[in-house]
Amino acid sequence: MLLCIDTGNTNTVFGIFDGDKLLAQWRISTDHRRTADEYFVWLSTLMTVQKFELNIGACIISSTAPRVVFNLRVLCHRYFDTRPLVVGKPDCLLPVAPRVDAGTVVGPDRLVNAVGAFERHGPDLVVVDFGTATTFDVVADDGAYVGGVIAPGVNLSLEALHMGAASLPHVDVTMPSKVIGTNTVACIQSGIFWGYIGLVEGIVAKIRDERGLSMKIIGTGGLAPLFEQGTNVFDAIEEDLTMHGLRLIYDFNKEAGNV
């Protein structure tokens, strides 16, 4: 079985594949202090509860938090006797190299999403990922990542609003029943929800205009299903897109004799 690990700034997701079938995935908070032993106790417990055997034969990692990677490497080596591929490192091949400015380091999660979205939806895509940051990743007709947009994430904006304005409470993200709020919480929820709908629709329109193409819009990330309720801009919502992309990158490296 293949273990795919996607480490974001807030959460880390572990996924188990048997061939091309995603058997299960679990989420844990990202913490660079967490040791390989702690990861193993947590992961092995979950696998045992769901009656999966611990026969991991390969691992691949995507991480936007570099300090976490060392202990994840140790986890793969110590407990699964395997050297993990790490997306973004020179020894991890991509199906198509990104086309960006020289010297630019592209977030591994963005590269992985581009690979997964292209395989599922074909050329000329925009992947909108609602994570710690809200990112827009443009995928060309050959599957290459060719740039995008980074905006503050939804929860990050809420936290900044709460911290910067002492009288404003922290609220949950939800779709309000109406645009005009009649209390403070409703006003904030409307501003966040409809504000991000406007941000997504506006940026997507600008990208389409600049590319001169209609382009398919693919949403992913934990809040994507929520924001889909307020707009028809999305052609599809893919909750397991990053896991899918990681599996494809591993398979590509395996076929190339790189693992």
Side-chain angles (χ1 to χ4, degrees):
M1 293 194 295
L2 171 66
L3 173 63
C4 296
I5 306 173
D6 171 38
T7 297
N9 293 299
T10 305
N11 293 308
T12 297
V13 180
F14 288 67
I16 302 292
F17 279 90
D18 185 5
D20 61 0
K21 183 179 180 182
L22 180 60
L23 300 179
Q25 57 181 331
W26 304 283
R27 187 179 301 266
I28 191 171
S29 60
T30 298
D31 185 349
H32 72 273
R33 298 167 299 180
R34 187 171 285 116
T35 67
D37 302 325
E38 289 174 308
Y39 279 121
F40 180 73
V41 169
W42 171 80
L43 181 61
S44 62
T45 299
L46 288 170
M47 292 183 70
T48 300
V49 166
Q50 295 192 239
K51 297 181 172 57
F52 294 124
E53 295 183 7
L54 296 174
N55 59 340
I56 303 297
C59 302
I60 183 169
I61 300 168
S62 167
S63 177
T64 58
R67 296 174 70 186
V68 175
V69 175
F70 174 78
N71 283 326
L72 292 175
R73 284 183 180 271
V74 174
L75 166 72
C76 298
H77 175 72
R78 178 180 297 165
Y79 289 104
F80 304 123
D81 193 27
T82 182
R83 179 182 67 86
L85 282 173
V86 180
V87 179
K89 299 298 183 183
D91 62 345
C92 182
L93 306 177
L94 296 174
V96 184
R99 293 195 291 273
V100 294
D101 294 343
T104 299
V105 178
V106 181
D109 55 331
R110 307 181 79 181
L111 298 173
V112 171
N113 285 345
V115 172
F118 180 74
E119 195 275 340
R120 281 183 171 171
H121 300 283
D124 299 318
L125 307 169
V126 180
V127 180
V128 184
D129 189 351
F130 294 91
T132 303
T134 299
T135 58
F136 299 74
D137 302 322
V138 180
V139 184
D141 57 359
D142 62 348
Y145 170 89
V146 293
V149 176
I150 301 176
V154 177
N155 287 314
L156 193 62
S157 295
L158 273 172
E159 190 64 30
L161 185 64
H162 174 62
M163 292 178 65
S167 62
L168 295 181
H170 185 79
V171 302
D172 293 328
V173 184
T174 187
M175 181 177 178
S177 59
K178 53 185 180 179
V179 176
I180 301 173
T182 53
N183 58 68
T184 302
V185 169
C187 288
I188 296 173
Q189 289 175 331
S190 183
I192 289 293
F193 184 85
W194 294 114
Y196 270 86
I197 291 295
L199 179 144
V200 170
E201 291 179 342
I203 290 178
V204 163
K206 289 291 186 183
I207 291 173
R208 282 172 164 164
D209 183 61
E210 190 170 288
R211 298 286 290 177
L213 299 166
S214 61
M215 307 193 74
K216 295 177 184 175
I217 312 302
I218 311 302
T220 190
L223 291 175
L226 171 65
F227 284 98
E228 183 191 24
Q229 299 174 35
T231 179
N232 60 3
V233 74
F234 295 108
D235 292 283
I237 299 295
E238 298 279 6
E239 296 186 42
D240 65 340
L241 185 63
T242 308
M243 288 290 110
H244 179 62
L246 281 170
R247 196 265 301 171
L248 291 172
I249 292 172
Y250 177 80
D251 287 349
F252 178 79
N253 279 266
K254 184 177 181 180
E255 290 171 8
N258 196 41
V259 291

